[in-house]
Amino acid sequence: MTLATTPPIFDGHNDLLLRLLGGAVTASGVTNGLGSGHIDLPRAQTGGFGGGFFAIFVPSPAKSGDDMEAMSRPEYDLPLPEMVPQPEALATTWRGVEAFEALTEAGAITPCTTAAEIEAALGGPKMAAVLHLEGAEAIGPDLEELHALHARGLRSLGPVWSRPTIFGHGVPFRYPSTPDTGAGLTEAGKRLVRECNALKVMIDLSHLNEKGVDDVAKLSDAPLVATHSNAHTVTTHARNLTDRQLAMIAESDGMVGVNFASAFLRPDGRMDPSCSLDVVLRHFDHLIETLGEDRVGFGSDFDGATVPEGITDIAGLPNLRAAMTAHGYDAALVEKLCHGNWLRVLRKTWGA
């Protein structure tokens, strides 16, 4: 199955740039299929992976708060990592921008800053790519770095990862738990939201705690979007969205990208890939029921999570499409979920 024979997928989140920064793969290796991980260009063409949001992420200097071994237990509550110093985060973020540009030069991606550019690139030989910042540690309180990153192509930003920033508070990796885990946005965070609105940078709610989401909902004039989050009703993990939060997203005409990380999919909250695609469909079903057919898409977390063995990597995406069809999703709905809904919300957010 190829891009030519199936609706291409535009995806809400991947961590390929982190693998480049860590030296696990090179830009030319991504283009030529040399290396492990979840994403490269040959497998994208095989699996119908048309592209998505490519995240710049700054790792925590000490032990991370997403310990995979701990997340395989029946219950867990991992401590939040400490805040990353802004100079350190900024240096890593610029390296991430350079890695994104190296993928462009190597012929792996087509960088996109408008929905029209994404739509034009989706059926092409390269992956359509939007530059995203996962956690805004690189940005200072005067927001000068936001403008510099926007000038280099940044069009999407999450104020936090699962740790504190000067802008707000991330949720811990905690199961079972609600996302109501602390205070809302700081004054700097509220300024960040307003400036992102002015620049038409999409604000990502994934990883943000409940009070922070409430604050974004009050302040933002753009659709509310969680690029890679799931339904708390199905899996009671702190990273997932409650029905109250989903109602706010629906009211704003926003959307949610379904995360393939096993711990956020499985009802038992365990980061264990030995689960069927039925668990993915349960989240799709609940989100479609709550948000409507026009507000749900993919948000895989490829290269940043342990995904179900029925998917494995982007070459396995046809298995999920086939499961959707067997589950009763018609062709029109599958196309919306694969990319149509992302294009809709990005046109509304970016204006182009």
Side-chain angles (χ1 to χ4, degrees):
M1 190 172 288
T2 66
L3 280 171
T5 59
T6 191
I9 287 170
F10 185 80
D11 181 57
H13 188 91
N14 76 68
D15 285 299
L16 176 60
L17 296 178
L18 182 60
R19 296 186 62 243
L20 269 73
L21 293 184
V25 68
T26 64
S28 62
V30 173
T31 305
N32 297 310
L34 304 175
S36 56
H38 291 149
I39 298 173
D40 59 40
L41 187 58
R43 283 181 288 170
Q45 294 166 344
T46 298
F49 182 84
F53 291 83
F54 285 62
I56 299 173
F57 170 69
V58 179
S60 297
K63 186 176 180 181
S64 174
D66 63 343
D67 185 283
M68 296 297 176
E69 182 179 350
M71 292 174 71
S72 67
R73 299 169 189 159
E75 296 184 3
Y76 47 86
D77 183 1
L78 306 185
L80 288 173
E82 294 181 1
M83 190 180 299
V84 178
Q86 194 254 347
E88 177 185 326
L90 184 59
T92 301
T93 296
W94 284 125
R95 288 178 55 225
V97 173
E98 291 166 359
F100 185 85
E101 292 170 348
L103 287 176
T104 304
E105 293 170 5
I109 64 172
T110 298
C112 301
T113 58
T114 68
E117 289 175 346
I118 295 170
E119 188 168 26
L122 270 180
K126 306 174 188 179
M127 294 178 280
V130 175
L131 186 61
H132 169 78
L133 186 61
E134 184 177 29
E137 288 91 347
I139 298 171
D142 62 2
L143 308 182
E144 178 181 345
E145 295 82 5
L146 173 62
H147 287 262
L149 289 164
H150 179 266
R152 291 282 284 272
L154 185 75
R155 292 297 182 272
S156 176
L157 175 151
V160 300
W161 180 68
S162 288
R163 64 188 169 213
T165 71
I166 64 170
F167 304 110
H169 305 274
V171 292
F173 292 92
R174 180 186 295 170
Y175 176 87
S177 176
T178 74
D180 185 12
T181 60
L185 296 181
T186 65
E187 288 306 311
K190 294 173 183 178
R191 291 196 303 271
L192 178 67
V193 169
R194 295 187 186 101
E195 196 63 17
C196 284
N197 282 172
L199 291 172
K200 297 191 181 299
V201 171
M202 191 183 80
I203 300 162
D204 181 15
L205 303 178
S206 293
H207 288 281
L208 190 60
N209 68 359
E210 187 169 25
K211 288 183 174 63
V213 171
D214 288 349
D215 285 340
V216 174
K218 292 173 187 173
L219 292 165
S220 181
D221 61 14
L224 299 176
V225 175
T227 62
H228 58 304
S229 295
N230 293 341
H232 191 269
T233 293
V234 179
T235 303
T236 55
H237 198 291
R239 269 283 281 112
N240 288 341
L241 297 163
T242 66
D243 282 357
R244 186 183 73 83
Q245 292 175 308
L246 295 176
M248 291 192 298
I249 291 170
E251 185 177 357
S252 77
D253 201 18
M255 71 171 287
V256 175
V258 173
N259 191 323
F260 296 167
S262 301
F264 313 146
L265 288 170
R266 294 171 58 114
D268 64 6
R270 299 176 70 171
M271 194 67 89
D272 181 346
S274 60
C275 52
S276 73
L277 297 184
D278 289 344
V279 297
V280 186
L281 294 172
R282 285 184 64 186
H283 286 273
F284 270 106
D285 282 347
H286 186 79
L287 293 172
I288 290 168
E289 179 182 355
T290 309
L291 296 170
E293 292 187 358
D294 296 333
R295 302 187 185 98
V296 185
F298 284 60
S300 69
D301 215 352
F302 280 137
D303 278 327
T306 300
V307 305
E309 56 192 8
I311 300 173
T312 306
D313 60 26
I314 56 174
L317 287 170
N319 298 336
L320 181 54
R321 286 197 210 82
M324 288 175 161
T325 300
H327 190 60
Y329 294 177
D330 62 24
L333 176 56
V334 170
E335 185 163 358
K336 285 182 180 182
L337 299 174
C338 284
H339 63 260
N341 290 342
W342 273 119
L343 291 174
R344 182 197 65 79
V345 81
L346 291 176
R347 284 192 186 99
K348 190 167 184 179
T349 302
W350 293 341

